[in-house]
Amino acid sequence: MTERITQPLIYALLTAQLAGCTVGPDYVRPEAKIPNEFKESKGWKQAQPRDTMLSGKWWEIFNDPRLNKLEEQVAVANQSIIQAEAQYRQAQHLVQSAQSAFFPILNLTGTTNRFRAASGQSVAVSGVRNLFGVAGAIAWEPDLWGSVSRQVEANTGSAQASAATLQALRLSSEATLADNYFQLKTLDAQKALLDETVVAYSKTLQIIKNRYAVGMVGKSDVMQAETQLESVRAQAINIGVQRAKLEHAIAVLIGKTPADLSLAAAPLDVQPPPIPASLPSELLERRPDIAAAERKIAAANAQIGVAKAAYYPSLNLAATNGFQTSTLDNLFKSASRYWALGPAGAALTLFDGGAKHAQYKQAIDGFDASVAAYRQTVLTGFQEVEDNLAALRILDEQKQVQDKAVTAANHALTLITNQYQAGTVSYLDVMTAQTVALSNRQTAVQLQGQRLTASVQLVKALGGGWNVAMLPSEDQAGGEVKWTDYLIFPVD
């Protein structure tokens, strides 16, 4: 009897599933305005070969071993990245949760009752009785209109977007660390310059004091020299505040407390490397934030199908097969077996006050918003590339001019110092020349740091060696499913 009931039921369920259709629009990637070339790439010295310069460890192009060591710790110890990884796993399990709706729900129940039946002439059995029962039940709602399929599609898109967001955060954290690191080295170079200047000014002050002692110069020259010296010393001390903050920021980026990291001063001996500026059309495949925005569109598109499927009737199927008897000895005998089909039926909402229509329109609005967000992300990506291409080109030109200014200022300082020693100019002229020479040397150091920072930001704007092929596939977005995942109790 069970086989005569079960086989037709399974056949009916499978037939209903296969006969279903998926409502809602199929996803088509929206178009985004893409220029033929970057405006600021004209005159740009392209790295050769183009496609082999940037890899996952893009920071290695700077050839700085200490930077390499710090960057390696970001992916494994940065707490924001660890949080994003957990959120990605959450998104994977949401895919698995949606996929579970494809399968029926199986329940096993056991019951035992002891009761006293009513006595009377119309009652066949009276007195205290026992009733034992065991039953298995199956319930299923076939995906006739593709609601489950669309939900799986939506959750898969969201999981892929989460994976891309994780990569975007990782790239951002790596770039921030490199940026802070080069700013720190720039401050070290400025500190070294100021310390060197303090030594030079101290020698000059001693010479002036000696000249004052023999009556060759006035007291005002001594006071002016001391003022100049102490002013530079104050600048050197002030750099310590900025440097400490950068060192603390680097420590947090690699998952350490500031007390656990100390970076010794090092010379600014790093040069901006050649960077391959990809074509604008390639940028869409290389930036994880653009990939995340595009996957969110796919998820929003699928949600339209979910909302549309709610308009259609739902079909619920159920079956029960079990045993029931008043004595345990007879529980599993054929005479104690029973079966039931139901509850089963179709339901169609006739009036809901416009709730389903509002949800459907909301899904469409969400899709439109995600398309706009995607296109804005693409535009921002182009802007960031253009900004840093321009910055590197202009800063390179400025460096060449600044180097000439440094040379001229140093030469002028030497001449005016000699004139002062000859007594033809006042010490005020020497102070002016010293200030100009120091200012130009400081500007040269700052330009070097700005060029390195612009290089880091250009690498970030180009995607840092990532590409869309690294995005998890639809199967991977659902995570690895183990047999223990099908159990009804948690197993770690």
Side-chain angles (χ1 to χ4, degrees):
M1 174 65 72
T2 304
E3 290 74 10
R4 291 199 299 269
I5 298 300
T6 304
Q7 291 178 359
L9 176 61
I10 294 176
Y11 177 78
L13 295 178
L14 293 176
T15 301
Q17 181 76 24
L18 295 174
C21 61
T22 302
V23 299
D26 292 330
Y27 176 67
V28 178
R29 182 174 179 172
E31 295 182 358
K33 187 176 181 180
I34 303 174
N36 295 326
E37 62 178 352
F38 290 113
K39 172 185 176 182
E40 300 293 343
S41 64
K42 297 177 182 178
W44 172 255
K45 297 179 181 179
Q46 183 65 263
Q48 298 293 336
R50 284 181 53 228
D51 292 330
T52 58
M53 290 296 294
L54 291 180
S55 63
K57 297 182 178 182
W58 55 266
W59 52 84
E60 293 181 347
I61 64 177
F62 292 97
N63 295 316
D64 189 314
R66 186 166 67 167
L67 174 62
N68 296 344
K69 185 177 179 180
L70 291 170
E71 291 284 5
E72 292 289 350
Q73 301 176 61
V74 174
V76 297
N78 183 276
Q79 295 303 305
S80 295
I81 293 177
I82 293 174
Q83 177 187 3
E85 288 175 338
Q87 291 169 340
Y88 171 53
R89 294 195 302 272
Q90 264 186 312
Q92 286 183 309
H93 289 117
L94 285 175
V95 176
Q96 296 177 13
S97 177
Q99 290 172 337
S100 68
F102 284 123
F103 302 95
I105 297 175
L106 303 177
N107 289 311
L108 179 64
T109 59
T111 60
T112 177
N113 289 295
R114 183 172 177 80
F115 62 94
R116 185 180 187 283
S119 59
Q121 296 181 353
S122 60
V123 179
V125 180
S126 61
V128 178
R129 309 289 293 177
N130 294 321
L131 185 63
F132 304 98
V134 175
I138 179 172
W140 188 42
E141 181 180 349
D143 189 25
L144 297 178
W145 316 114
S147 176
V148 176
S149 299
R150 290 300 190 192
Q151 190 62 58
V152 171
E153 183 181 336
N155 289 6
T156 299
S158 296
Q160 291 174 318
S162 180
T165 299
L166 167 61
Q167 295 302 324
L169 177 61
R170 181 174 295 167
L171 174 59
S172 177
S173 300
E174 292 166 349
T176 300
L177 187 146
D179 192 358
N180 290 344
Y181 177 78
F182 288 132
Q183 287 186 51
L184 185 142
K185 287 178 71 80
T186 301
L187 291 178
D188 287 343
Q190 290 182 357
K191 179 68 163 52
L193 172 60
L194 292 172
D195 289 343
E196 177 187 332
T197 303
V198 166
V199 173
Y201 285 6
S202 297
K203 292 180 180 179
T204 300
L205 176 60
Q206 187 59 49
I207 293 174
I208 294 175
K209 285 182 176 180
N210 294 338
R211 290 167 65 89
Y212 171 71
V214 297
M216 295 181 62
V217 299
K219 182 67 173 178
S220 61
D221 287 4
V222 176
M223 299 303 296
Q224 288 174 335
E226 287 182 345
T227 301
Q228 188 86 328
L229 172 62
E230 297 306 323
S231 176
V232 174
R233 279 178 174 164
Q235 292 181 51
I237 294 173
N238 181 260
I239 285 179
V241 176
Q242 302 174 57
R243 190 188 191 281
K245 290 182 178 180
L246 288 171
E247 190 177 69
H248 300 164
I250 291 173
V252 173
L253 283 168
I254 60 175
K256 295 183 177 181
T257 64
D260 294 330
L261 179 69
S262 295
L263 297 174
L268 188 60
D269 53 1
V270 182
Q271 295 297 323
I275 299 172
S278 58
L279 297 175
S281 59
E282 297 175 353
L283 193 66
L284 303 187
E285 310 297 325
R286 294 178 181 267
R287 284 186 56 126
D289 59 337
I290 292 179
E294 186 272 331
R295 288 289 81 201
K296 289 179 181 177
I297 300 175
N301 181 81
Q303 288 294 350
I304 297 176
V306 175
K308 190 173 183 178
Y311 283 104
Y312 296 86
S314 61
L315 178 64
N316 294 284
L317 303 174
T320 303
N321 191 4
F323 300 86
Q324 192 174 66
T325 181
S326 59
T327 59
L328 284 175
D329 294 340
N330 297 325
L331 181 59
F332 293 104
K333 293 183 178 180
S334 58
S336 302
R337 179 179 295 178
Y338 73 95
W339 59 265
L341 289 176
L348 175 64
T349 302
L350 298 179
F351 180 76
D352 63 358
K356 287 185 174 58
H357 182 71
Q359 292 171 356
Y360 179 63
K361 289 296 184 180
Q362 182 183 13
I364 294 176
D365 295 338
F367 173 81
D368 293 340
S370 62
V371 171
Y374 165 71
R375 289 172 175 162
Q376 182 62 40
T377 303
V378 172
L379 290 174
T380 301
F382 290 146
Q383 177 190 357
E384 291 177 352
V385 174
E386 298 279 17
D387 286 349
N388 290 288
L389 283 174
L392 282 173
R393 176 176 56 80
I394 295 171
L395 289 172
D396 184 63
E397 295 174 0
Q398 185 179 358
K399 175 184 177 299
Q400 298 177 32
V401 176
Q402 188 61 38
D403 288 345
K404 295 178 181 179
V406 170
T407 301
N410 290 337
H411 184 60
L413 176 59
T414 300
L415 291 176
I416 292 176
T417 300
N418 292 336
Q419 290 175 354
Y420 172 73
Q421 292 175 350
T424 59
V425 297
S426 68
Y427 189 71
L428 181 60
D429 294 323
V430 176
M431 288 181 59
T432 301
Q434 287 177 333
T435 301
V436 171
L438 176 60
S439 176
N440 277 280
R441 293 180 68 185
Q442 286 178 312
T443 300
V445 172
Q446 291 169 358
L447 277 175
Q448 178 73 349
Q450 290 173 7
R451 293 172 67 215
L452 290 168
T453 296
S455 297
V456 171
Q457 294 303 315
L458 179 58
V459 170
K460 177 187 174 185
L462 293 171
W466 187 86
N467 63 75
V468 74
M470 300 178 185
L471 202 65
S473 65
E474 292 184 3
D475 292 337
Q476 293 171 331
E480 181 182 358
V481 181
K482 304 176 181 178
W483 69 270
T484 53
D485 294 332
Y486 292 103
L487 299 179
I488 58 174
F489 49 87
V491 176
D492 295 329

